[in-house]
Amino acid sequence: MLTNTQNKESSAYVHFVHASRKSLFVGFFFIFFQTFSQIVPPSFAKVVDSIVAVAPKDFTNLHTMFRASRNDTILMRYLCRISSEQDYKSGAAYALNELGRKYRNISNYDRAIELHKEALAVAEADKNVQFIALSLNNLGVVYRRTSSIRTAMDYHQKALELAETVENPPKSLRRSINISVNSIGNLYRKLEQYEKAIEYFERALQLETELNNQLGQAINFQNLGSCKEELGDLETALVNYRTSLALNESINNSQGRIICNNSIAQIYLKQNNPEDALEILEANLLDARKLGDGLLIVPVYIFKGWAKMNMGQYRTAEKEMLHGLKLSKQYNLPTYTIQVSHLLSELYKKNKDFEKALTYNVMAEDLEEKVLNENTISYVNDIIFRYDSQKKSNKIAMLAKENENVKLELRKNRTILLIAGVALTFLAGIFYILYRQYQLKNEKQLLTLEQTMLRSQMNPHFLFNSLNSIKLYIINNEQKNAVYYLNKFSKLVRKILEASSLREIPLAEELETAQLYMNIENIRFSNEIDFHIKVEDNIDVQNVKIPSLILQPFLENALWHGLSSKEGDKKIVITISKATEEGHIHIGIIDNGIGRVASEKIKLGKVLKRKSMGIDITKERLANFSRDYQNSFNLDIIDLFHDDGEAKGTKVSLYIPVI
């Protein structure tokens, strides 16, 4: 436990410490302010005072005065502070943008974004279009360097739209337009739409030439070279890079010179000339380090590693590439991270270290997918489409009257087409109704035929006689015959019912049904009828399709009109063969009955005459069946005679189309 005295001493000590710290801070601030004031040259302070007093709002005037001092962050902070104190917003916006550019060039992108956004807010408060466009473009450049394509496109698009709303824009705004066009080209290049990017770079180059801006020309020649390189035209790319290098040399632009030399070295590497590439890169590394811009330093290490790999110096190559990878992540340069990851994958393949090769390949592909995805492409295309549509709106307005006439003509044509369409629809409806009626009529006719056919197959007379015959076996205690023929009868009835629901069946099924029918009917003839089926070897009865239940009417005619009144041997033979006419099979039904002439005489002598409809129904069914084939059916019924002219039977020849 502390005593009261100890507590008081402790409190006094704390108070003393706080007072000392406060005095120390005030003293430090006073010393810093004095030092800061001494660092700012009096001549610069005098220029700032004179500019703030006049307060020009034109970017060109400010840039002319401060061009030589814009890379000095201390001087730009001084300009920003004095301008803010005197409420000179244009001066503050200029200084903030230059500070942001400086941080951007040393790859401190977060701080650069903060400064450019602060400059944008100041310019918007001042309603100064020149500095608003400048700030928007600067933000776009920073986001483009970090591969935030969607955000970068948004800022450059806003800058371009704003600058183009001003009639007779001053030189600074024209410069902003050029920067926007060039930057949009760069975004297309990042999206690998190189042909579209070239269109924007060529447009920007023309605009920079009109302004006689050698720096702008150098930048666009460099960008054109990059697109040509990606398209595989290395020679044209090299020409563009060298043109850009010459322009950068003429204006003593160190940054542009380093970028061009890096690009030329990369062309040499792709042309398998690592020695010349390495010579350029060694000198480039010293210049890049002096500027401290990560965007310039990172590719030097990557390309050096690439050159060493091509020269077979794998260990040195690995060291250079890994250092380049580390810096690309440190400076947040995903494009270079992807490139060096692919190169490391290739290097490890050469070293047979396939696990590391796979790891770096997957790393590169994952980052590529993250940087450039379908949503980003859709968003960018949507923005460009919106801008193009807005830009063309004036031209559309000029053609309004002409378009109105076209619309009137279109309305007239549309009315005619509508009437014609209604008429055609009405006619189509009528034709459809007629066609459906025709279909329904055919379906009804076919259904009627099927029902009539079923009745003819299952006529009561046949059923009664068949069951009567089986009953006779039972009465005579011939159980085996009764069971045998009862099975035959039930199987026949089942087959008839099954076949009646089918339009066509295999010939094998039809022959089996015919065999069952003859087995049943033969009971009534005391098994006197000799019935045979003969099929040629080259006919597959399982694959040949015929209408169901077409043979029974002919067998019934042969039995009751040819054989029932005959004495002696009785025969019926069914023959199946290929017809001489292609696309048909021939079914022959031959009996040795009394013939049609004698049968007709017997029929006339009967008191009760029953008209047989089976043959006529079968003909109609065959006609319907033949409609699905190119060939039609043929039916011939021929009387057979002995040499002396006496009838010896009847032959039915049926020619059915098959596939």
Side-chain angles (χ1 to χ4, degrees):
M1 293 291 292
L2 293 172
T3 62
N4 290 336
T5 305
Q6 288 174 323
N7 281 330
K8 288 179 182 179
E9 289 176 354
S10 177
S11 299
Y13 175 75
V14 171
H15 180 73
F16 172 76
V17 169
H18 281 294
S20 300
R21 285 179 178 175
K22 185 174 181 181
S23 300
L24 184 64
F25 176 77
V26 171
F28 176 77
F29 179 79
F30 179 76
I31 293 169
F32 174 78
F33 181 77
Q34 278 191 325
T35 305
F36 182 79
S37 300
Q38 290 173 357
I39 291 174
V40 176
S43 57
F44 183 81
K46 187 176 180 180
V47 171
V48 170
D49 290 340
S50 63
I51 289 292
V52 171
V54 178
K57 289 197 170 187
D58 185 69
F59 171 83
T60 305
N61 291 337
L62 282 167
H63 196 56
T64 302
M65 297 300 298
F66 297 114
R67 181 196 298 270
S69 308
R70 65 182 185 141
N71 289 321
D72 192 325
T73 55
I74 293 176
L75 299 183
M76 288 299 103
R77 285 194 180 94
Y78 179 80
L79 171 62
C80 181
R81 182 174 65 81
I82 299 300
S83 297
S84 298
E85 289 174 357
Q86 300 297 322
D87 196 27
Y88 175 39
K89 293 182 173 62
S90 296
Y94 178 87
L96 288 166
N97 273 312
E98 292 301 330
L99 286 168
R101 183 186 59 80
K102 185 65 177 177
Y103 278 107
R104 179 190 75 203
N105 288 341
I106 60 172
S107 303
N108 190 343
Y109 298 120
D110 291 337
R111 181 59 179 149
I113 289 170
E114 289 176 9
L115 290 164
H116 289 312
K117 284 185 175 180
E118 191 177 344
L120 177 61
V122 172
E124 286 176 340
D126 197 31
K127 296 181 181 179
N128 190 323
V129 176
Q130 294 183 43
F131 284 102
I132 293 173
L134 174 67
S135 303
L136 290 169
N137 273 328
N138 280 329
L139 282 165
V141 171
V142 178
Y143 280 112
R144 173 165 55 86
R145 286 200 181 185
T146 59
S147 295
S148 300
I149 298 176
R150 184 175 67 176
T151 308
M153 179 64 81
D154 209 0
Y155 279 117
H156 287 307
Q157 197 65 48
K158 287 178 182 177
L160 184 58
E161 290 174 359
L162 178 65
E164 289 189 335
T165 60
V166 178
E167 294 185 10
N168 300 319
K171 185 177 180 180
S172 63
L173 266 185
R174 292 171 65 190
R175 181 79 186 101
S176 287
I177 291 171
N178 297 356
I179 292 170
S180 298
V181 172
N182 172 268
S183 296
I184 291 171
N186 271 309
L187 292 171
Y188 272 118
R189 184 180 63 177
K190 278 185 172 288
L191 292 172
E192 298 180 8
Q193 299 182 33
Y194 301 114
E195 297 294 346
K196 191 73 175 174
I198 287 171
E199 291 179 19
Y200 276 88
F201 290 143
E202 287 178 343
R203 177 185 168 192
L205 179 60
Q206 182 181 352
L207 294 171
E208 296 291 8
T209 304
E210 291 172 3
L211 288 175
N212 194 27
N213 181 11
Q214 288 185 309
L215 176 60
Q217 293 174 55
I219 291 170
N220 282 286
F221 273 116
Q222 168 69 23
N223 291 333
L224 283 168
S226 176
C227 290
K228 293 294 184 180
E229 181 180 349
E230 293 294 343
L231 291 171
D233 189 355
L234 300 183
E235 291 300 328
T236 306
L238 193 57
V239 170
N240 281 307
Y241 289 148
R242 286 172 175 164
T243 304
S244 178
L245 179 60
L247 287 165
N248 281 302
E249 293 282 7
S250 66
I251 60 175
N252 194 25
N253 179 19
S254 300
Q255 184 184 35
R257 182 167 53 244
I258 295 167
I259 292 171
C260 289
N261 280 324
N262 279 340
S263 298
I264 292 169
Q266 184 169 234
I267 293 290
Y268 286 155
L269 288 169
K270 290 182 178 180
Q271 292 177 336
N272 199 22
N273 185 5
E275 291 81 6
D276 288 347
L278 199 58
E279 184 180 348
I280 294 173
L281 293 168
E282 293 291 356
N284 236 21
L285 182 57
L286 297 174
D287 294 336
R289 281 175 174 168
K290 288 178 183 177
L291 293 180
D293 188 348
L295 189 66
L296 306 178
I297 297 170
V298 170
V300 177
Y301 281 106
I302 294 173
F303 296 162
K304 282 179 68 181
W306 187 356
K308 296 289 186 180
M309 179 178 70
N310 288 351
M311 295 168 69
Q313 300 174 22
Y314 297 146
R315 182 170 295 181
T316 309
E318 180 184 20
K319 181 180 177 182
E320 298 282 3
M321 288 182 190
L322 288 174
H323 189 60
L325 177 62
K326 178 183 176 182
L327 291 176
S328 68
K329 291 179 178 180
Q330 177 184 329
Y331 290 119
N332 190 21
L333 298 172
T335 302
Y336 285 123
T337 304
I338 292 167
Q339 185 180 19
V340 73
S341 296
H342 279 303
L343 287 170
L344 280 165
S345 178
E346 184 181 346
L347 175 65
Y348 287 124
K349 281 181 187 176
K350 291 179 182 292
N351 279 332
K352 308 297 183 182
D353 191 345
F354 298 111
E355 185 177 350
K356 284 187 178 180
L358 178 61
T359 300
Y360 281 101
N361 188 57
V362 170
M363 182 193 300
E365 290 180 353
D366 288 347
L367 188 55
E368 281 174 337
E369 186 177 355
K370 180 181 177 182
V371 171
L372 186 60
N373 53 63
E374 292 181 0
N375 292 333
T376 301
I377 294 172
S378 299
Y379 179 85
V380 172
N381 288 338
D382 179 64
I383 293 174
I384 296 300
F385 175 79
R386 183 182 63 196
Y387 168 67
D388 289 340
S389 298
Q390 186 175 355
K391 192 173 180 180
K392 292 173 183 175
S393 61
N394 293 333
K395 293 182 181 179
I396 294 172
M398 292 172 61
L399 298 172
K401 291 184 179 180
E402 185 177 342
N403 287 342
E404 190 62 32
N405 293 333
V406 173
K407 288 179 182 178
L408 289 172
E409 189 67 25
L410 286 173
R411 288 194 196 101
K412 181 180 176 182
N413 293 339
R414 194 180 296 118
T415 304
I416 294 171
L417 287 172
L418 182 61
I419 294 170
V422 171
L424 287 172
T425 304
F426 181 71
L427 289 172
I430 292 174
F431 284 129
Y432 177 73
I433 292 169
L434 293 174
Y435 174 69
R436 283 297 298 154
Q437 287 180 342
Y438 172 75
Q439 277 188 320
L440 291 171
K441 182 180 177 182
N442 283 342
E443 289 172 3
K444 183 179 178 182
Q445 182 182 6
L446 184 61
L447 183 60
T448 303
L449 285 173
E450 299 297 338
Q451 290 174 343
T452 308
M453 178 270 296
L454 180 60
R455 285 198 297 271
S456 70
Q457 305 288 344
M458 301 288 289
N459 67 76
H461 184 69
F462 165 70
L463 294 173
F464 176 78
N465 287 335
S466 299
L467 292 172
N468 226 16
S469 299
I470 294 169
K471 184 177 75 173
L472 188 61
Y473 280 124
I474 296 171
I475 291 171
N476 293 335
N477 203 26
E478 297 181 36
Q479 292 182 5
K480 288 185 178 180
N481 285 335
V483 172
Y484 175 77
Y485 283 108
L486 186 60
N487 286 336
K488 293 282 185 183
F489 178 74
S490 64
K491 189 174 182 181
L492 175 63
V493 171
R494 186 173 70 251
K495 277 194 166 293
I496 289 172
L497 292 173
E498 288 175 353
S500 64
S501 64
L502 301 173
R503 188 167 180 268
E504 55 186 47
I505 61 173
L507 178 56
E509 293 284 334
E510 181 68 9
L511 293 176
E512 186 179 353
T513 303
Q515 182 73 57
L516 288 169
Y517 173 75
M518 287 303 301
N519 286 341
I520 299 299
E521 289 285 34
N522 218 352
I523 299 174
R524 296 157 60 190
F525 285 88
S526 301
N527 293 320
E528 294 178 351
I529 300 172
D530 185 11
F531 175 70
H532 292 289
I533 298 173
K534 297 179 180 180
V535 181
E536 284 187 355
D537 294 338
N538 59 353
I539 294 178
D540 185 356
V541 293
Q542 292 293 341
N543 289 328
V544 174
K545 302 287 185 180
I546 64 170
S548 59
L549 305 175
I550 62 166
L551 297 182
Q552 185 176 332
F554 299 110
L555 293 173
E556 186 179 356
N557 270 7
L559 283 169
W560 298 107
H561 299 294
L563 299 178
S564 62
S565 303
K566 184 189 176 189
E567 299 293 335
D569 66 317
K570 300 170 183 178
K571 293 182 180 180
I572 296 178
V573 179
I574 296 178
T575 61
I576 311 295
S577 61
K578 282 194 175 179
T580 54
E581 184 179 353
E582 188 177 354
H584 288 79
I585 64 164
H586 171 256
I587 301 176
I589 303 173
I590 306 168
D591 67 75
N592 64 343
I594 61 176
R596 286 188 296 174
V597 175
S599 176
E600 191 64 28
K601 288 179 181 179
I602 295 171
K603 185 178 178 182
L604 290 172
K606 290 182 179 179
V607 177
L608 182 61
K609 300 178 179 63
R610 184 171 66 88
K611 185 177 180 181
S612 176
M613 300 293 292
I615 302 299
D616 293 335
I617 293 169
T618 301
K619 286 181 179 179
E620 289 187 49
R621 292 181 65 230
L622 284 167
N624 277 323
F625 175 77
S626 300
R627 286 174 186 167
D628 293 340
Y629 298 87
Q630 294 180 349
N631 305 311
S632 61
F633 81 99
N634 289 305
L635 175 63
D636 295 323
I637 302 177
I638 305 167
D639 291 308
L640 304 176
F641 298 95
H642 291 288
D643 293 338
D644 58 2
E646 183 182 353
K648 68 171 184 178
T650 308
K651 179 179 181 180
V652 176
S653 290
L654 184 59
Y655 298 89
I656 298 179
V658 295
I659 298 177

